[in-house]
């Protein structure tokens, strides 16, 4: 069974770059059937889609975050990564990675999420 | 892109039915069948409960159903149970190849 696990620093200083990794186990990130996504949720608030990537490198980003976001994949490690630059306190959130079907375009498997706090 | 519109909260008694609406535009909800719904319990990751407007993944009770009319999608939960108390989010693919979520609806089972 495919599982996703987010990892990375839980605390980032303002103006710095947030970096997270999602490790995919039980399946290949190089599958033709899936995109791989990042989604975040500020404390007490709703879900916000950040972006998704196909294993060959094609990416799509939320227009509101596009200038600060980079999503990449490392097929050799079966991992996807997220970089969010110039962070502020408003970027404090639980960050989830999720698998997105290329056929039904839904998020069918989610990681447990990791809380990242932006604070000095 | 703007978030899809959902009511902030809804409530119902055990055994009753409730419906949660999700309103978008012709560029998202109205333009595609790719509307999905997610259930999120406190402190947990969201769980897919409806995909492609009205399909249930394996293991999701048939008490959960979805529909769509124009730019508005709906999630109906019949025979409410205490365990259904959670936050519910809709999501849609868009004409820009992006994804947009609704603001979420908190369901209270009284």
């Amino acid at each position: 069974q495919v599982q996703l696990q987010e990892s990375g620093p839980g605390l980032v200083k303002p103006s710095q770059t947030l970096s997270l990794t999602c490790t995919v186990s039980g399946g290949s990130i190089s599958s033709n059937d899936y995109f791989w996504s990042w989604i975040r949720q500020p404390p007490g608030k709703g879900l916000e889609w950040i972006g998704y990537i196909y294993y060959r490198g094609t990416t799509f980003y939320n227009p509101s975050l596009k200038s600060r976001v980079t999503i990449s994949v490392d097929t050799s490690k079966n991992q996807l990564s997220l970089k969010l630059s110039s962070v502020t306190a408003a970027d404090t959130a639980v960050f989830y990675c999720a698998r997105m079907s290329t056929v039904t375009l839904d998020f069918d498997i989610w990681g447990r999420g990791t809380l990242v706090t932006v604070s000095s | 892109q703007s978030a899809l519109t959902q009511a902030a909260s809804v409530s119902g008694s055990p055994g009753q039915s409730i419906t949660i609406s999700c309103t978008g535009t012709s560029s998202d909800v109205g333009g595609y069948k790719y509307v999905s719904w997610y259930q999120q319990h406190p402190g947990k990751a969201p769980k897919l409960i409806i995909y492609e407007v009205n399909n249930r993944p394996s293991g999701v009770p048939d008490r959960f159903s979805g529909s769509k009319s124009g730019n508005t999608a709906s999630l109906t939960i019949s025979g409410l149970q205490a365990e259904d108390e959670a936050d519910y989010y809709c999501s849609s693919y868009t004409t820009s190849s992006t994804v947009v979520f609704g603001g979420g609806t908190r369901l209270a089972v009284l």
Side-chain angles (χ1 to χ4, degrees), chain B residues 4-95:
Chain B
L4 306 177
T5 300
Q6 296 182 237
S9 64
V10 66
S11 63
S13 300
Q16 287 187 332
S17 295
I18 63 95
T19 296
I20 298 171
S21 296
C22 168
T23 301
T25 69
S26 58
S27 296
D28 39 62
V29 174
Y32 290 105
K33 64 177 181 177
Y34 303 118
V35 176
S36 49
W37 289 89
Y38 303 86
Q39 177 191 62
Q40 186 180 35
H41 287 107
K44 301 294 187 182
K47 172 189 174 184
L48 177 67
I49 56 172
I50 295 288
Y51 67 95
E52 286 187 320
V53 176
N54 56 11
N55 293 286
R56 282 176 288 105
S58 175
V60 174
D62 60 5
R63 304 184 294 103
F64 293 87
S65 62
S67 62
K68 191 184 82 163
S69 177
N71 296 336
T72 299
S74 299
L75 171 71
T76 297
I77 309 173
S78 58
L80 271 177
Q81 298 183 3
E83 66 207 52
D84 299 332
E85 187 161 289
D87 293 330
Y88 292 84
Y89 295 90
C90 61
S91 173
S92 177
Y93 190 70
T94 81
T95 53

Side-chain angles (χ1 to χ4, degrees), chain A residues 7 14 16 25 27 30-32 36 51 55 57 61 64-65 68 70 77 79 84-85 90 103 105 110 119:
Chain A
S7 60
Q16 292 190 342
S25 59
S30 301
S31 169
N32 291 326
W36 303 91
Y55 78 95
Y61 297 132
S64 68
L65 298 171
R68 299 195 292 130
T70 302
K77 295 182 179 179
Q79 293 177 333
L84 180 65
S85 64
V103 175
L105 300 176
W110 295 64
S119 174

Side-chain angles (χ1 to χ4, degrees), chain A residues 38-55:
Chain A
W38 287 98
I39 296 157
R40 70 179 182 177
Q41 184 172 35
K45 296 188 178 180
L47 301 170
E48 180 181 31
W49 173 73
I50 298 172
Y52 64 84
I53 188 168
Y54 190 55
Y55 78 95

Side-chain angles (χ1 to χ4, degrees), chain A residues 1 12 14 25 27 30 32 39 70 76 94 97-98 100 103 116:
Chain A
Q1 183 166 347
V12 180
S25 59
S30 301
N32 291 326
I39 296 157
T70 302
S76 66
V94 174
C97 58
M100 179 180 176
V103 175
V116 180

